Amino acid sequence: MKALLNVKELASVLGVSVKSVQRAYRRREIPVHWLCRMALFDLDEVRRAMALNGSRRFDTSVGSHDKDGAAGGASRRRQPAARRVPKPPDGKTGAQFPEEDTEETMSWTCSLGWLRFTVPNASVEETMRLVGGDWVPDEKGFLGYGRGWMCRGSAGGLGRIGSGAKRAPLEVHVDLSQELLSGWTYDQFQAVAQWVFMKQGHFGRIDVALDDRSGVIDVEAVYDAVVAGQCVSHFRKSQLIEGLDVGSGEETGTTLCMGSRQSDTYLRIYDKAAQQQSKGIVVEGPWVRWEMEWKDERAQAVGLALSVLDQDRFQPYIVGVFRTAVDFRDCTREDDPKDRYHAPLLAWWKVLTEGMQRAKLDVVKAVKKIEDVKQWAAKSLAPMLGLLCVHPEAGERWLVSTIIEGVERWRPKHYAFLASGQDVQQVLKKVRWWKPTDGFAAGCASTAP
């Protein structure tokens, strides 16, 4: 069997930086094989791919370097900005985009992330019906609220609802993470926003992510534009973070953070493709995410727009709000402030923002498998189930009776999941005939009389 090379070994053989190799396989310029989370390469396959591509974007000259990347085997530590002499991204002459990408093939998506809102007078039941999900009581409460509920998604994510605060007994507070919202449509987001304002509530946090799946520019090049003084922004500081998986040693991508987590506006620009690949998820092509986190008054403004604008108008609005926080123009730090704000947009930023204005909400259709449910139950429920079985005030009999009651609360999605490709109506007939006391497996194993 032919030996495969890892990223460092391939970079050393070709005489390029590790970042060059990573960028090449993320852009599908060279073939890659995955072993769990480790990227491996067949040297012959790589050389054939480079020959076919004409080595157009993958520099193979010995000792060549990307921006800050070192040659294979050398240190990849980024030097302090003061010591760097970066090459600024192209200005009026235009950025170097992949030649095969056209206006029709460029891919842009938008996703709404974290939602946090509070309404002064509502019932928990009404709130749960609005946001959906399977909620379970949390005895510890939540953020000072006497009563709390939790919701965990099978693919991750956490939702929290709190109510019963002494200062405001009827107030309901809701926190929903991005994983729980990934399957929502724009109409669902808008219905929630309208309900919040109808109840005279307010938003405390809204995250919106704009995704570039076309490879217009990578994170390091954006940072170079910031260093070169081409970023016109009210942010006072930025930080470039190199991610690394401690267990495998695989890089998880670069993140550029702008602003402070304590402020009401915070921007993260990161390599989403590398992040996903570090988790063993295969990603085709580049994927850079621009994720803005708004809080308090700014979140309230975005929530108001969400409640009144249709999706075609909300998208340009969001890009406009992004640009009030950060803009990239053909200028330098030494230019007069007025000139900086009126300088021409950098070509890559113009392409990026115009494309993102046309982006549509990315709705993820979660496909659940029984193994996913089993893993979730083993990770999240097993300790408490064991406690309930041995506790003298609960016990196995109580647990079984509770499970039977849970069957009575099945929704259409549970029946559909149980069907697993079978005729749903036939499964419904079996479940209705089935007596849980006869054994749980009998629900599908038996046939109705």
Side-chain angles (χ1 to χ4, degrees):
M1 180 177 178
K2 184 184 297 185
L4 299 178
L5 307 178
N6 62 27
V7 174
K8 292 181 181 179
E9 291 168 340
L10 181 63
S12 178
V13 170
L14 297 178
V16 300
S17 70
V18 169
K19 287 188 180 295
S20 291
V21 175
Q22 292 172 332
R23 188 174 295 112
Y25 75 71
R26 289 169 191 161
R27 291 177 175 175
R28 292 179 290 177
E29 296 169 9
I30 58 174
V32 58
H33 305 275
W34 289 97
L35 177 61
C36 296
R37 299 181 181 182
M38 182 176 293
L40 298 173
F41 306 88
D42 183 311
L43 183 58
D44 293 337
E45 291 179 355
V46 170
R47 283 176 170 161
R48 282 196 296 268
M50 290 166 58
L52 290 174
N53 293 336
S55 301
R56 180 165 50 88
R57 294 194 301 274
F58 189 29
D59 187 3
T60 60
S61 59
V62 176
S64 66
H65 291 66
D66 283 346
K67 304 177 186 78
D68 300 292
S75 172
R76 297 191 305 274
R77 185 184 301 274
R78 178 176 290 277
Q79 299 300 316
R83 301 180 184 178
R84 302 170 71 249
V85 186
K87 176 185 179 298
D90 298 284
K92 300 175 184 177
T93 57
Q96 300 299 315
F97 306 128
E99 295 177 8
E100 66 271 22
D101 283 332
T102 65
E103 195 69 23
E104 288 74 23
T105 60
M106 285 185 173
S107 176
W108 324 91
T109 55
C110 169
S111 58
L112 276 78
W114 201 289
L115 278 187
R116 175 184 298 158
F117 58 87
T118 306
V119 291
N121 190 345
S123 70
V124 173
E125 292 74 17
E126 179 185 12
T127 307
M128 289 180 179
R129 286 196 300 269
L130 179 71
V131 301
D134 298 319
W135 296 86
V136 296
D138 182 6
E139 297 179 357
K140 296 184 295 185
F142 174 50
L143 290 180
Y145 293 93
R147 298 185 298 155
W149 290 263
M150 299 176 59
C151 177
R152 292 187 182 275
S154 60
L158 176 66
R160 304 290 297 269
I161 293 178
S163 185
K166 292 182 179 180
R167 55 178 174 75
L170 298 180
E171 185 176 277
V172 176
H173 178 84
V174 181
D175 259 323
L176 302 173
S177 69
Q178 184 174 7
E179 291 85 355
L180 290 179
L181 302 172
S182 59
W184 283 27
T185 64
Y186 186 81
D187 289 341
Q188 287 176 282
F189 283 108
Q190 190 166 63
V192 169
Q194 291 172 347
W195 180 81
V196 170
F197 285 103
M198 181 188 70
K199 291 287 187 178
Q200 298 183 340
H202 64 273
F203 284 93
R205 175 179 169 182
I206 296 180
D207 294 3
V208 177
L210 298 173
D211 292 325
D212 168 26
R213 305 297 296 268
S214 304
V216 172
I217 191 168
D218 59 32
V219 180
E220 291 89 347
V222 177
Y223 182 69
D224 284 343
V226 175
V227 173
Q230 296 173 322
C231 178
V232 180
S233 173
H234 67 257
F235 292 128
R236 293 187 177 183
K237 65 178 182 178
S238 65
Q239 182 180 14
L240 194 68
I241 303 171
E242 298 282 357
L244 181 72
D245 185 280
V246 176
S248 65
E250 185 74 13
E251 292 194 7
T252 57
T254 305
T255 301
L256 174 59
C257 303
M258 303 192 69
S260 168
R261 292 303 300 267
Q262 286 70 46
S263 66
D264 55 6
T265 306
Y266 181 68
L267 175 63
R268 289 181 297 269
I269 309 165
Y270 59 96
D271 190 339
K272 185 69 174 179
Q275 182 196 70
Q276 295 292 92
Q277 288 165 349
S278 70
K279 299 177 181 178
I281 302 173
V282 178
V283 176
E284 294 291 337
W287 184 359
V288 174
R289 170 162 288 184
W290 297 64
E291 186 173 69
M292 190 76 81
E293 177 183 308
W294 290 289
K295 295 177 182 174
D296 301 328
E297 292 183 0
R298 294 185 185 273
Q300 182 77 344
V302 174
L304 180 60
L306 180 62
S307 70
V308 298
L309 299 178
D310 59 32
Q311 186 173 346
D312 290 337
R313 290 189 295 164
F314 180 74
Q315 196 65 39
Y317 164 81
I318 284 296
V319 174
V321 177
F322 260 74
R323 290 189 55 193
T324 62
V326 61
D327 224 2
F328 290 90
R329 295 182 175 272
D330 193 6
C331 59
T332 66
R333 195 169 281 103
E334 290 73 26
D335 291 340
D336 184 270
K338 293 183 179 179
D339 294 336
R340 284 169 55 81
Y341 278 96
H342 293 91
L345 295 177
L346 292 180
W348 62 263
W349 180 240
K350 187 173 187 294
V351 171
L352 193 69
T353 53
E354 288 180 353
M356 287 177 173
Q357 287 185 29
R358 299 188 301 273
K360 295 299 181 182
L361 188 68
D362 189 21
V363 179
V364 179
K365 296 295 184 182
V367 180
K368 295 183 180 179
K369 300 178 181 179
I370 191 61
E371 285 302 321
D372 297 329
V373 178
K374 287 166 61 180
Q375 290 179 13
W376 168 75
K379 181 179 180 181
S380 303
L381 300 181
M384 293 305 298
L385 291 176
L387 174 63
L388 291 170
C389 279
V390 302
H391 198 282
E393 296 181 14
E396 185 177 355
R397 185 182 297 276
W398 176 87
L399 186 59
V400 171
S401 65
T402 302
I403 293 174
I404 294 173
E405 291 176 4
V407 172
E408 300 299 327
R409 302 203 310 268
W410 278 356
R411 300 176 183 178
K413 66 177 182 180
H414 298 116
Y415 288 114
F417 184 75
L418 181 64
S420 186
Q422 307 172 43
D423 180 74
V424 175
Q425 294 302 320
Q426 185 65 22
V427 173
L428 281 171
K429 187 184 297 183
K430 290 179 180 180
V431 172
R432 288 180 183 133
W433 167 78
W434 164 53
K435 297 178 181 178
T437 53
D438 294 339
F440 294 104
C444 286
S446 304
T447 56

